[in-house]
Amino acid sequence: MVPGNTPGTVQPAFALAAFLWPTRAITSQWVVLPLVLMAVGLFRWATALWPYSGFQAPPMHGDFEAQRHWMEITRHLPPTQWYFHDLEWWGLDYPPLTAYHSWALGTIGSWINPTWFALHTSRGLDDPSLKLYMRATVLLSEYLVYVPAAVVFFRRFVRLHGVHAWEGNVALVALLMQPGLILIDHAHFQYNTVMLGFVLASISAFYAERRLWSAVFFVAALGFKQMALYYAPAVFAALLAACFRPRPRPILLLSVALVTGISFATLFAPLLLFGLKDGPALDDEGEIRPLALPIFSSIPLLSTYTTDTMSWYYPAVQQLAQSIHRIFPFARGIFEDKVANLWCALNVVVKLRQFPAALLQRVSLFATLSAILPPCTLIFLRPRGDLYLYGMAATAWGFFLCSFQVHEKSVLLPLLPMTLILAQRGGLTPAIRAWVGWANLMGVWTMYPLLKRDGLRTPYFVLTLLWAYLLGLPPVSLSAYSDVAPGSRGGLSFPTRVLHFSFYHMMVVWHVVEAFVAPPMGKPDLWVVANAGIGAAGFSVCYLWCVWQCLQISGLLNSGGGRRGTAEPARTKKLQ
């Protein structure tokens, strides 16, 4: 908000605030919420009309075919074959909850039209009615998991921070209109919102001091997509702090450990029980398949009990080993395609694929641990409510920049907690809006090469520029950078403005060059590599900013206790 023309009045500072300005006086959000959900749903369905990943692109098609194929095999094959069946054709490589979700959707779809998921004969199917069904399942899954979790989170979070409910609605719309998430799930085609919805539910439960539910929801997120591991160290540090600070609480510690173990056991139970019932999986020659993970046979204590193929429990061990092997594909290399992280950027100078995979794995592990240690340590030592989101974002940025086998779509993970920061006190001030918007726009920009391959240039530009307009961000608006004097409370310093505008300038110039200038002969990927390099530099800055905010909130940089870095003072409730 900025001062109005009449003394003592205020007016909206950016477009999204202006759209929701008439709702400030409405006390019940149930009047506003249905309108918001209809509006954001309309944008999602309009985006879904565009092509999807792999549309009419044989031989492997794309992510759409992968998701459809998983519905096919889970619908027709017993669970003991899910992680073994024809791995060359989009073999299942997500955790069990994704498999169960695919089974449910495949079963419902088969009732409607059995040919959509017919075993073997439905591969590469481009039926328009199938597209309609699959698009509908993404929207339904999001509105059953992600949207309710987001609504509950914002209601609880704004109350905790003493923020007006209207500001929470603005932040909610900003989150639901995130261009990157809409484009990846509803255009490219994935179900990321299910995993992110469970993460939101975990964060919300944590702020409500329901630690056990927080653990359950986070296990559900891990059980749907292994990418939720990006948040795991921060979640672990926060739960551990709740168990030990300000005083040890052994009962809570044991309860969290027990609930977490039971949750994981529940996720894997159908696989293991069906394995015990159906017996060990066999190869094409009818022989019992060996364990996929060498660790089961390389450790003497484990090998004694896991290598006996005739033991009654071997099928269960076999299923567990195979699923873990598929979920964590270390054999694929340190990165696939061009992704805006440190390894892809470094590969321009030093060809990393010339080094042994084991060495790259150790280097990646060391770099990732070094990146996530500072925010996780601060979460544990200074368990403050408004530090948690910054710590989660910094941890996720550390994983994205340094970890093994990163995909460009994984940038959605650090962008979630960064966007949630808009709901805290002072979250809609120009400084926070500028940082959150800059990260989001750069995130979707780095995914442009992927979206372009899918024929999604038009929805990319429409949704990205619309979100920039709504939040008052370049290249559509400069309100996040011009409404407050540089260096004043709620504003950005001059060097920060120069930094942001430099990257905005590079992104715009890159689009112009990529559209009108052909890459040099022998370097067809030059513009894509430049995109990844610029993105890696920008995301590194985002990581440093999140860590800096954690330091400022923690109070370690001053003797007067925690304070906000670029936003207004907020209540810092201890996470006890």
Side-chain angles (χ1 to χ4, degrees), residues 410-423:
S410 302
V411 74
L412 297 173
L413 279 83
L415 291 179
L416 172 65
M418 276 200 75
T419 309
L420 297 179
I421 293 168
L422 293 172

Side-chain angles (χ1 to χ4, degrees), residues 53-65:
S53 170
F55 176 66
Q56 295 182 348
M60 294 301 294
H61 301 275
D63 280 356
F64 181 92
E65 170 60 19

Side-chain angles (χ1 to χ4, degrees), residues 94-176:
Y94 277 2
L97 194 54
T98 285
Y100 309 147
H101 177 256
S102 298
W103 171 82
L105 298 182
T107 300
I108 296 172
S110 295
W111 292 341
I112 300 173
N113 189 337
T115 63
W116 290 346
F117 306 106
L119 191 62
H120 303 309
T121 61
S122 59
R123 290 184 178 183
L125 191 63
D126 288 328
D127 186 348
S129 60
L130 171 63
K131 174 187 176 181
L132 177 65
Y133 173 76
M134 296 287 281
R135 293 297 201 192
T137 62
V138 176
L139 189 65
L140 180 63
S141 298
E142 179 174 5
Y143 270 66
L144 287 177
V145 181
Y146 184 74
V147 170
V151 171
V152 172
F153 169 82
F154 281 108
R155 290 190 66 188
R156 181 166 291 147
F157 195 73
V158 297
R159 290 175 183 173
L160 176 66
H161 283 74
V163 176
H164 194 283
W166 172 82
E167 296 181 53
N169 288 335
V170 174
L172 173 63
V173 176
L175 178 74
L176 295 180

Side-chain angles (χ1 to χ4, degrees), residues 194-462:
V194 178
M195 179 265 293
L196 294 175
F198 285 129
V199 172
L200 266 173
S202 175
I203 299 172
S204 183
F206 192 81
Y207 277 113
E209 300 185 1
R210 298 172 180 172
R211 315 301 187 201
L212 302 184
W213 277 112
S214 179
V216 170
F217 285 128
F218 190 70
V219 170
L222 286 171
F224 195 84
K225 280 198 173 186
Q226 59 269 42
M227 289 191 305
L229 280 171
Y230 282 33
Y231 304 121
V235 173
F236 175 77
L239 289 173
L240 197 64
C243 296
F244 285 97
R245 304 181 70 86
R247 64 187 184 281
R249 302 166 69 180
I251 294 180
L252 177 60
L253 177 64
L254 292 175
S255 299
V256 170
L258 182 62
V259 166
T260 301
I262 292 175
S263 300
F264 274 115
T266 302
L267 278 176
F268 283 91
L271 286 178
L272 306 186
L273 292 177
F274 271 93
L276 294 175
K277 172 180 173 293
D278 297 344
L282 306 178
D283 58 22
D284 294 337
E285 284 74 33
E287 300 293 332
I288 296 178
R289 293 179 181 268
L291 296 182
L293 290 180
I295 189 174
F296 282 92
S297 57
S298 60
I299 300 177
L301 183 60
L302 284 177
S303 63
T304 303
Y305 299 97
T306 59
T307 57
D308 182 7
T309 59
M310 303 307 296
S311 61
W312 65 270
Y313 52 80
Y314 180 81
V317 176
Q318 184 189 47
Q319 289 293 325
L320 181 63
Q322 179 68 9
S323 60
I324 295 175
H325 171 69
R326 293 293 302 163
I327 293 169
F328 299 104
F330 289 108
R332 293 184 185 176
I334 196 166
F335 64 85
E336 282 189 73
D337 216 337
K338 308 298 186 295
V339 58
N341 74 346
L342 297 181
W343 306 124
C344 189
L346 181 62
N347 191 67
V348 177
V349 181
V350 180
K351 300 304 177 184
L352 298 179
R353 299 187 190 277
Q354 66 180 313
F355 298 102
L359 174 62
L360 295 177
Q361 290 173 15
R362 288 193 293 268
V363 172
S364 173
L365 176 62
F366 176 78
T368 304
L369 291 176
S370 300
I372 67 176
L373 186 60
C376 292
T377 302
L378 291 172
I379 291 174
F380 178 75
L381 296 179
R382 295 289 192 273
R384 301 176 185 272
D386 40 356
L387 186 149
Y388 188 35
L389 291 179
Y390 287 103
M392 287 192 74
T395 303
W397 280 124
F399 265 95
F400 180 82
L401 289 167
C402 303
S403 64
F404 200 85
Q405 256 299 305
V406 173
H407 293 268
E408 59 269 74
K409 293 162 285 190
S410 302
V411 74
L412 297 173
L413 279 83
L415 291 179
L416 172 65
M418 276 200 75
T419 309
L420 297 179
I421 293 168
L422 293 172
Q424 69 183 16
R425 181 178 291 274
L428 297 181
T429 55
I432 296 296
R433 207 159 23 97
W435 275 104
V436 172
W438 184 65
N440 272 277
L441 293 177
M442 187 177 304
V444 69
W445 176 75
T446 60
M447 292 188 287
Y448 175 77
L450 171 70
L451 299 170
K452 178 186 175 182
R453 289 198 300 269
D454 296 337
L456 300 172
R457 281 173 288 192
T458 298
Y460 161 82
F461 283 110
V462 170

